[in-house]
Amino acid sequence: MTSVLDLAPVVPVVVLDDAADAVPLARALVAGGLPAIEVTLRTPAALDAIRAIADEVPDAVVGAGTVISPRSVADAAAAGAGFLVSPGWTEALLDAMAMSGVPFLPGVSTASEVVALLERGVTEMKFFPAEASGGTPYLTSLAGPLPQARFCPTGGISLASAPSYLALRNVGCVGGTWMLPPDALAARDWDRVESLAREASALRA
């Protein structure tokens, strides 16, 4: 698979309470130009949602977010996740993700965490929480001493702020939720989701 960081400029971060919404939501996002979809493991419906998208939306690359334990790695991989995203990492979690055979983005928020991952041969990471951890100035500072590290910043990013992240040479994509407004999801307004996704997919560095 092409690197997760290169699939689209924006990775929607999805929280689903009803797995029945997974397929129409994924189809709307893909139609809008956002094929990489992160379904967070924060709800009981998440694994069923990942499984449904993997089975029924062939143009989507569905991943599992909020992966925080070796068990969640195994469950997500078994459900058909095409990539894994964690908010942070431990040695045990990193070992499990590496052994899964599924592409993964471990979360970092400090230079020391980035260096530790580079020591392990990991060069692609999630920067989280992006805005609270220093945003674009922090990532710009990391690019000098650690040019081999590439990031998907997530956390507090909006349509307005995304372009400044995407302009950085060490950022491949950003994660966000702004194309998934709660009222649109509650109303199952997939046309609106598709429109917002198309707007997000048009963002370029």
Side-chain angles (χ1 to χ4, degrees), residues 52-74:
I53 295 171
D55 290 345
E56 300 182 44
V57 191
D59 291 331
V61 180
V62 61
T66 322
V67 174
I68 58 173
S69 69
R71 175 61 184 271
S72 60
V73 170

Side-chain angles (χ1 to χ4, degrees), residues 127-158:
F127 179 59
F128 176 83
E131 287 289 280
S133 297
T136 55
Y138 192 87
L139 286 171
T140 299
S141 297
L142 289 181
L146 303 170
Q148 62 272 58
R150 296 180 71 218
F151 302 95
C152 174
T154 306
I157 298 175
S158 66

